[in-house]
Amino acid sequence: MPVIYYVILSSLLFCIGLYGVLTRKNAVAILLCIEIMLNAANLNIIAFSRCWPEPARGTIFVLFVIGLAAAEAAVGLAIIISYYRKSEAIDLDNINLLKW
Amino acid sequence: MNTGLIRLLPELVLCFGALLIIFIDIIYSDIKKYWLGFLAYGFTIISFICLFILGSNKTWLIVQGSYAVDGFSIFCKALLLIAGSVIILFSIAYVYRGMEYKAEFFALILFSLMSMLVLVSSADLILILLAFEFVSISSYILVGYHRDDMKSREASLKYFFYGAISAAILVMGFSFLYGLTGETNIYLIARALGGKTQLLIPDYTLLALLGLVLVGAGFGFKIGMFPFQMWIPDVYEGAPTPVTAFLSVASKSAGVALLLRFFFVVFTNNFSINWSIILLVISIITMFTGNLMAISQNNIKRMLGYSSIAHVGYILAGIVGIYHYKITTGYTGATFDVSPILIYLTAYIYMNLGAFAVIILSEDMTGDNIPSYAGMSQRSPLLAGMLTIFMLSLAGIPPTIGFIGKFFIFGELVNASHYLLVILAVINSIISVYYYFRVVYFMYFVPPETEKKGFSYSLLTMGALWACFAGTLFIGISPNLFIELAKKALIGIDIIR
């Protein structure tokens, strides 16, 4: 299959993730949308890596990105929990102490 | 064994220091925590000495060419280590006054500093991504360090979301660059884009443009360039003050250094798309956003946040100047002279650190609001005088270091005959005088609400403050020595390998 189909798919996934980030109000849902964006990029890298004589380079890149996403999700969930414990809400509409 | 690996010593020292602090805290849990602060300070000094000993004008490409140690990265690392050590001095007293998990704070600062040193040297997409995220993740934790403070937690949450989105955008941009060229090393990507090796498709405009825009957006989040500057004021206001200083000085300088290396290596040599026009527009909007929004601020940390956005605007204008100079003169040499931007960064680091030192010292007595600085000149003449000098410097008025920085950036723009941009930048500097001098006005011409004196001059913070003050004034009055040093260090980015 030509690589362009994969690129279109991953671009769509990326846009879905970005749309979710911009419209969702729940903090955990936003975190999931960010994961979708990261995985769209992973799919892109893997698809591209098949076009080159050394596909291992792209695979290693993706492995690093997966590990990085896990680390980011761990810290992010910790921050969300610490926020939730005090304010009993993770709705971003209520996060308005700091503005302008 | 490759002898080049010894060049990693400054980073390794910092990493070892951070781990050692955590271990000592676990094993001797009843140790006085300020000793750990001194230990952290000591490790930054050792790292600085290692950097100094290993420093040379030669370019070393180690770890399979993915780690570049050259004059540019050594100069940036020296700046970052100076900023880091000064911030550790601030934090010792601050952390001791009331913060949980004191040891981990210093360890996190050291880890973050180490990853910034890696960031300015890395020349490989994977390494750039990892270092970039390492800086971000440790900063998220540092921003939310006051867990009982509503503002701090909120700032941490906002910073995390903006940072995570920027990381995702950055990975997407990298994926297009990788797909187009099949390489992850930025020098090899540049060679491929220059037509030296085969590309995925012969007409690379669309994919390269996607990569350029997405990578620019990812980096733009980190340095706070328009339209990705929204997080800066919120995070600066909510974070503990030493962390605010750390973000605004070290994190931003590392981001600018990364941007310089990446854009000048990948998107300049034999690259047909002229991105300077995009950057020109962005730099103008960034300057105006920062300066106009800063006018109405009442919180001094928030005001400095907007002012740091404006400073990024000047730096971007300098990048446009350098790029344009290269295009108009048809320069084809192997090295790019970026010394104006590095001089500006040095100035920015000194004066901003000084301003934050005064804020930390007077925070207990005055709070963060600018009107509560009323009558500082009577309550503490020393701090008021120093803050006045730093505000003069931030506004770019001689004889301070801020003037020297602006002078070089504007000079570069005149060289590239970008007169419109010079005029707009000067107008911006004039706007900025208003809000910087609002602080001075309150300190000197408004009577104090309370006669309370008794500022607690922590000895360490005072020492750091005097160092910033001396740097701001001394380099401002006689810049020759410093400029000789900067030129001698061959602060250029090698764009061809």
Side-chain angles (χ1 to χ4, degrees):
Chain A
M1 224 156 59
V3 70
I4 185 75
Y5 294 118
Y6 292 101
V7 175
I8 290 172
L9 174 66
S10 74
S11 302
L12 269 178
L13 269 179
F14 187 78
C15 291
I16 290 170
L18 196 60
Y19 176 77
V21 163
L22 296 175
T23 54
R24 285 301 183 126
K25 296 291 176 212
N26 187 307
V28 178
I30 293 179
L31 194 61
L32 289 178
C33 292
I34 293 169
E35 294 296 313
I36 292 178
M37 286 164 80
L38 278 170
N39 282 322
N42 281 346
L43 183 63
N44 217 359
I45 296 171
I46 282 290
F48 276 132
S49 77
R50 288 185 52 210
C51 310
W52 293 102
E54 281 179 64
R57 193 173 283 153
T59 318
I60 290 166
F61 199 159
V62 168
L63 283 176
F64 274 111
V65 175
I66 292 172
L68 185 151
E72 202 172 60
V75 172
L77 283 173
I79 289 171
I80 292 174
I81 288 172
S82 124
Y83 191 84
Y84 176 73
R85 277 201 187 135
K86 286 281 156 54
S87 58
E88 295 289 314
I90 44 170
D91 206 29
L92 290 196
D93 279 341
N94 301 328
I95 303 184
N96 50 13
L97 208 59
L98 301 162
K99 58 184 173 189
W100 296 111
Chain B
M1 175 97 180
N2 189 346
T3 50
L5 283 178
I6 193 81
R7 312 263 145 198
L8 283 167
L9 202 57
E11 288 86 340
L12 290 177
V13 166
L14 288 182
C15 188
F16 176 73
L19 292 174
L20 189 70
I21 286 173
I22 293 177
F23 278 128
I24 290 180
D25 186 50
I26 291 170
I27 296 167
Y28 305 101
S29 51
D30 53 346
I31 190 176
K32 290 264 188 295
K33 299 291 192 253
Y34 52 75
W35 288 116
L36 297 176
F38 289 127
L39 198 62
Y41 181 70
F43 274 107
T44 54
I45 298 297
I46 295 172
S47 174
F48 192 83
I49 293 169
C50 291
L51 192 69
F52 198 71
I53 292 171
L54 295 173
S56 70
N57 278 340
K58 206 165 158 260
T59 301
W60 294 75
L61 273 180
I62 51 179
V63 202
Q64 313 255 321
S66 62
Y67 200 81
V69 182
D70 48 14
F72 170 75
S73 70
I74 287 176
F75 190 89
C76 289
K77 282 177 191 177
L79 282 185
L80 289 171
L81 282 173
I82 291 172
S85 59
V86 168
I87 284 161
I88 288 173
L89 280 187
F90 294 169
S91 352
I92 291 174
Y94 187 91
V95 167
Y96 207 68
R97 276 209 310 255
M99 211 185 237
E100 287 176 278
Y101 305 107
K102 299 180 172 69
E104 286 84 349
F105 185 88
F106 297 115
L108 274 171
I109 293 255
L110 281 192
F111 272 133
S112 188
L113 202 58
M114 179 206 77
S115 49
M116 283 171 196
L117 297 199
V118 175
L119 193 61
V120 298
S121 274
S122 48
D124 191 280
L125 296 185
I126 301 174
L127 196 58
I128 289 175
L129 195 66
L130 290 178
F132 189 88
E133 274 300 284
F134 199 161
V135 176
S136 299
I137 289 178
S138 38
S139 314
Y140 305 149
I141 304 170
L142 284 172
V143 167
Y145 224 83
H146 277 312
R147 291 200 304 171
D148 297 326
D149 180 16
M150 203 63 197
K151 275 184 173 179
S152 179
R153 268 181 286 133
E154 187 175 318
S156 168
L157 196 60
K158 280 186 175 171
Y159 190 30
F160 167 70
F161 280 129
Y162 285 124
I165 295 165
S166 80
I169 292 174
L170 190 67
V171 184
M172 198 66 185
F174 282 174
S175 78
F176 283 117
L177 286 180
Y178 166 70
L180 187 60
T181 58
E183 300 286 351
T184 55
N185 188 301
I186 61 172
Y187 294 107
L188 295 179
I189 290 176
R191 266 180 61 179
L193 287 177
K196 301 284 197 316
T197 50
Q198 206 195 347
L199 290 172
L200 186 67
I201 43 173
D203 177 27
Y204 65 73
T205 315
L206 179 68
L207 281 183
L209 200 63
L210 268 174
L212 172 74
V213 170
L214 291 172
V215 170
F219 290 167
F221 262 109
K222 180 113 259 164
I223 65 172
M225 120 191 148
F226 183 86
F228 312 108
Q229 88 295 16
M230 306 83 75
W231 61 273
I232 288 210
D234 290 353
V235 171
Y236 282 20
E237 185 184 344
T241 315
V243 176
T244 308
F246 192 58
L247 286 182
S248 97
V249 170
S251 174
K252 194 162 276 197
S253 314
V256 169
L258 174 66
L259 187 90
L260 279 176
R261 183 190 291 280
F262 199 89
F263 272 58
F264 281 145
V265 169
V266 177
F267 295 127
T268 299
N269 201 30
N270 299 320
F271 189 67
S272 62
I273 303 166
N274 185 347
W275 42 268
S276 76
I277 192 75
I278 313 172
L279 202 64
L280 178 93
V281 176
I282 289 179
S283 88
I284 293 171
I285 304 177
T286 312
M287 278 190 263
F288 273 104
T289 323
N291 280 321
L292 293 178
M293 295 295 291
I295 289 177
S296 59
Q297 298 307 323
N298 255 340
N299 184 305
I300 193 162
K301 279 156 79 179
R302 214 174 167 77
M303 186 273 271
L304 282 176
Y306 278 114
S307 109
S308 81
I309 296 173
H311 284 289
V312 165
Y314 302 131
I315 289 172
L316 292 179
I319 296 177
V320 172
I322 291 172
Y323 182 79
H324 207 80
Y325 186 66
K326 187 239 174 204
I327 296 287
T328 48
T329 56
Y331 176 76
T332 50
T335 317
F336 246 51
D337 183 20
V338 293
S339 55
I341 298 197
L342 293 181
I343 291 170
Y344 195 89
L345 272 184
T346 316
Y348 175 76
I349 284 177
Y350 269 106
M351 59 204 186
N352 235 16
L353 275 179
F356 275 112
V358 176
I359 295 174
I360 291 171
L361 277 174
S362 53
E363 207 170 34
D364 279 351
M365 296 298 288
T366 61
D368 284 344
N369 281 333
I370 295 175
S372 61
Y373 277 72
M376 267 274 272
S377 59
Q378 291 159 40
R379 294 167 68 191
S380 170
L382 179 68
L383 288 186
M386 281 189 167
L387 192 54
T388 308
I389 296 289
F390 292 131
M391 289 295 155
L392 278 174
S393 179
L394 281 164
I397 291 169
T400 52
I401 191 171
F403 171 74
I404 306 294
K406 282 223 172 80
F407 178 81
F408 273 90
I409 292 271
F410 293 174
E412 191 65 35
L413 287 174
V414 171
N415 263 349
S417 45
H418 261 301
Y419 298 112
L420 180 69
L421 195 51
V422 177
I423 293 169
L424 287 173
V426 171
I427 290 175
N428 267 291
S429 299
I430 295 167
I431 299 174
S432 74
V433 171
Y434 170 77
Y435 60 82
Y436 290 129
F437 275 66
R438 194 159 160 260
V439 181
V440 178
Y441 166 77
F442 271 107
M443 288 194 302
Y444 280 91
F445 300 112
V446 178
E449 288 155 5
T450 55
E451 285 298 323
K452 246 188 351 186
K453 289 196 172 155
F455 281 82
S456 58
Y457 298 120
S458 146
L459 205 61
L460 294 169
T461 319
M462 277 313 276
L465 179 59
W466 274 108
C468 296
F469 183 72
T472 304
L473 265 190
F474 179 70
I475 301 179
I477 290 168
S478 63
N480 292 344
L481 190 71
F482 167 69
I483 290 164
E484 282 298 309
L485 197 74
K487 297 267 184 207
K488 205 184 280 176
L490 187 74
I491 304 159
I493 300 175
D494 292 342
I495 49 177
I496 304 167
R497 260 318 118 65

